[in-house]
Amino acid sequence: MTTAETSTNDTINQDSDKSTLIIEGKPYEMPVYGGSIGPSVIDISRLYGQTGKFTYDPGFTSTASCESKITYIDGDEGVLLHRGYPIDQLADQGTFLETCYLLLYGDLPQKSQLDDFEKRITYHTMLHEQMHTFYRGFRRDAHPMAIMVGVVGALSAFYHDSTDINDPVQRDIASLRMIAKMPTIAAMAYKYSIGQPFVSPQNSLDYSANFLNMCFSVPAEDYKPNPVLSRAMDRIFILHADHEQNASTSTVRLAGSSGANPFACIAAGIACLWGPAHGGANEAALQMLEEIGSVDQIPEYIRRSKDKSDPFRLMGFGHRVYKNYDPRATVMQKTCHEVLDALDLKDEPLLQVAIELERIAREDEYFIEKKLYPNIDFYSGITLRALGFPPEMFTVLFALARTVGWIAQWREMIEDPSQRIGRPRQLYTGPTSRDFIPVDQR
Ligand code: SDX
């Protein structure tokens, strides 16, 4: 039995399968559920009905919003598992489409299953021709993430034959369409922003080579994707595929809980991912490295990042869950070196700044005490820019890869018989009831 004091002198006694919360002297028993690994949960779903009280957890630092079998993170140990497989093994030995199959269906595919899945994805990569007109409504200088939110949301207007969330066949087609079309949509957003013609998908190319071809080939000359860069792109997609109940995934689940169609839910996830505290951090991290500019400027920026009166933060550092090195950042740093070597950019000055910044930060008492380590966004910006992408495309690539995670989590929620519409409550501290005063008497 364990006992913990709470502020109102209530205590929580917890044994193997239940907790007792004592409020104003009265005991309330709540079930405790254990998972396969990781923290157990206290089921408080009947707390309000029994006590008239809510729990309070802004930012959900101690709240499990759902049960899931897809991804497990051990933040203290720096572990990330997709259906039990460690991220570094998937990134080093597998392909992105193998990881997509794993996330969607729960196991690594056999060869025949993978061949069939790759073929089904390949034959869904084209976009309805009328959507090309949709792009032309945007200003040329629109941020590509603004285009992604708009175009993905509009997919339900073009593919309404796969929007019935209660039909498993339509859910599967919508899933394949999203995964298959995101590279086409992303590449078109890039081409539109630089005023070049859209490039059609090529079924003869694999997923990542096809994406690089749609981004960087032009009708005026032949383009042959560099296999080292295609492999690096594929690995970067694997690293970004899913990450448990992060902000954008929680957004997709909440939108899906109302019965919204999958395209609208993914568009909501893209909108949330855009924030600089989340998926926008890769773009912000590169801008930060460029602002620092040189190794001798690092101490000043480290000082600023610790100054509460200064809004500057080390972008690409820190994480809500990882209080150890983000295992994705390890693979991303290795990929960064591979890409720079392949492009003969070994002396990229920003990489030297990033490596020295990481070294200094990780020896700094503040970062050690707050357990702030590089996250996936710290090295991704340098890598993506070396691949030829402008910073405003970095979060688009994150969204492209995370689509499979959003879809897998959305499907899990839809197929969960106990799922209900998400509707959090609040601690209200606004005005109590008061009567209206006509404007001439105010
Ligand atoms: C992603 O959730 C996911 O899984 C997200 C993601 C995914 O795959 O989906 O992993 C992708 O979003 C990675 C995170 C990318 N964001 C950044 O790199 C932006 C910089 N990082 C911070 O904004 C911050 O670390 C967060 C947003 C990532 C986490 O914020 P938390 O968990 O709310 O932590 P916090 O802001 O409360 O920080 C705790 C303390 C604070 O100091 P105190 O108030 O306790 O004194 O650490 C400090 C913060 O000031 N701190 C930093 C810091 N990050 C946190 N100080 C300097 N530089 C930083 N980067």
Side-chain angles (χ1 to χ4, degrees):
M1 296 281 278
T2 58
T3 299
E5 290 299 314
T6 58
S7 57
T8 53
N9 203 27
D10 298 329
T11 57
I12 298 175
N13 299 321
Q14 176 173 329
D15 58 26
S16 59
D17 61 359
K18 64 179 181 301
S19 284
T20 305
L21 187 59
I22 296 173
I23 297 179
E24 287 134 17
K26 190 176 172 198
Y28 298 91
E29 279 199 356
M30 268 148 257
V32 174
Y33 310 133
S36 42
I37 38 178
S40 301
V41 296
I42 300 171
D43 179 349
I44 56 159
S45 52
R46 291 197 304 279
L47 178 72
Y48 178 59
Q50 291 174 341
T51 69
K53 294 184 187 300
F54 298 139
T55 59
Y56 184 62
D57 184 17
F60 308 121
T61 47
S62 302
T63 296
S65 61
C66 62
E67 176 186 344
S68 181
K69 302 178 184 342
I70 299 173
T71 291
Y72 174 70
I73 303 171
D74 181 331
D76 294 329
E77 297 302 318
V79 169
L80 170 58
L81 306 177
H82 290 318
R83 304 283 192 179
Y85 293 97
I87 188 64
D88 55 319
Q89 292 183 29
L90 291 169
D92 289 343
Q93 301 174 51
T95 66
F96 177 64
L97 286 188
E98 274 182 303
T99 299
C100 289
Y101 187 99
L102 174 67
L103 290 170
L104 290 175
Y105 304 115
D107 240 320
L108 287 171
Q110 293 166 10
K111 183 71 173 66
S112 60
Q113 292 168 321
L114 181 57
D115 292 345
D116 173 63
F117 184 69
E118 286 173 343
K119 189 172 175 194
R120 295 174 74 199
I121 292 289
T122 298
Y123 283 89
H124 277 292
T125 51
M126 287 184 71
L127 206 55
H128 192 294
E129 189 63 16
Q130 260 189 273
M131 292 208 80
H132 292 207
T133 314
F134 191 91
Y135 277 80
R136 305 212 188 288
F138 290 99
R139 286 172 43 140
R140 285 287 179 183
D141 61 354
H143 193 293
M145 281 297 280
I147 297 177
M148 294 297 288
V149 172
V151 170
V152 171
L155 285 176
S156 47
F158 289 83
Y159 298 101
H160 31 65
D161 62 336
S162 59
T163 52
D164 177 357
I165 62 162
N166 299 306
D167 177 352
V169 172
Q170 291 194 35
R171 288 203 299 269
D172 211 44
I173 292 173
S175 304
L176 296 180
R177 276 175 165 160
M178 285 305 318
I179 294 165
K181 295 181 193 307
M182 282 300 267
T184 310
I185 292 167
M188 287 170 70
Y190 173 56
K191 284 300 201 184
Y192 187 74
S193 70
I194 59 175
Q196 288 187 359
F198 298 143
V199 175
S200 169
Q202 291 299 317
N203 292 352
S204 59
L205 297 173
D206 68 37
Y207 192 86
S208 296
N210 188 34
F211 175 62
L212 293 179
N213 185 59
M214 289 190 287
C215 288
F216 299 122
S217 75
V218 290
E221 59 186 31
D222 290 339
Y223 172 86
K224 192 169 172 11
N226 176 326
V228 173
L229 304 187
S230 300
R231 177 70 189 120
M233 187 81 263
D234 205 64
R235 191 181 303 140
I236 290 169
F237 287 158
I238 294 171
L239 295 178
H240 289 82
D242 189 50
H243 213 238
E244 195 208 79
Q245 306 312 318
N246 58 84
S248 53
T249 299
S250 300
T251 300
V252 170
R253 278 182 171 260
L254 199 54
S257 73
S258 75
N261 75 70
F263 304 112
C265 295
I266 299 304
I270 294 172
C272 176
L273 186 75
W274 195 359
H278 189 14
N282 50 20
E283 182 178 351
L286 185 73
Q287 285 160 358
M288 173 193 73
L289 292 173
E290 287 173 332
E291 182 184 337
I292 294 173
S294 61
V295 168
D296 61 335
Q297 291 300 311
I298 291 174
E300 170 56 13
Y301 281 88
I302 294 276
R303 181 197 65 74
R304 285 184 55 194
S305 73
K306 299 187 282 189
D307 177 356
K308 293 302 173 204
S309 65
D310 188 328
F312 176 78
R313 288 287 173 273
L314 284 192
M315 301 314 281
F317 256 79
H319 199 277
R320 169 63 57 78
V321 178
Y322 289 122
K323 301 310 173 191
N324 200 322
Y325 212 98
D326 181 338
R328 303 169 298 174
T330 306
V331 181
M332 179 58 77
Q333 189 190 55
K334 188 175 78 173
T335 305
C336 184
H337 284 290
E338 281 177 14
V339 167
L340 295 179
D341 289 352
L343 295 167
D344 201 20
L345 296 172
K346 281 188 275 298
D347 302 328
E348 160 62 61
L350 289 187
L351 179 61
Q352 308 316 319
V353 173
I355 291 171
E356 183 62 7
L357 177 60
E358 176 189 348
R359 185 190 67 76
I360 296 174
R362 290 185 63 189
E363 291 172 356
D364 184 288
E365 207 36 57
Y366 175 92
F367 288 84
I368 293 168
E369 186 254 327
K370 293 188 185 296
K371 298 183 178 178
L372 301 173
Y373 290 82
N375 59 49
I376 188 168
D377 295 307
F378 189 63
Y379 287 103
S380 61
I382 300 171
T383 313
L384 297 174
R385 191 177 71 162
L387 284 171
F389 295 102
E392 56 273 13
M393 275 295 290
F394 294 176
T395 311
V396 170
L397 302 180
F398 195 149
L400 187 168
R402 185 53 58 89
T403 294
V404 64
W406 289 331
I407 286 281
Q409 300 270 354
W410 170 79
R411 287 160 63 109
E412 185 175 64
M413 182 228 17
I414 293 286
E415 290 159 10
D416 175 354
S418 67
Q419 80 91 15
R420 305 164 67 195
I421 189 166
R423 203 316 188 173
R425 300 305 301 273
Q426 62 181 9
L427 171 65
Y428 178 70
T429 56
T432 54
S433 181
R434 52 183 172 165
D435 294 330
F436 185 82
I437 301 167
V439 66
D440 55 5
Q441 296 173 30
R442 288 176 207 153

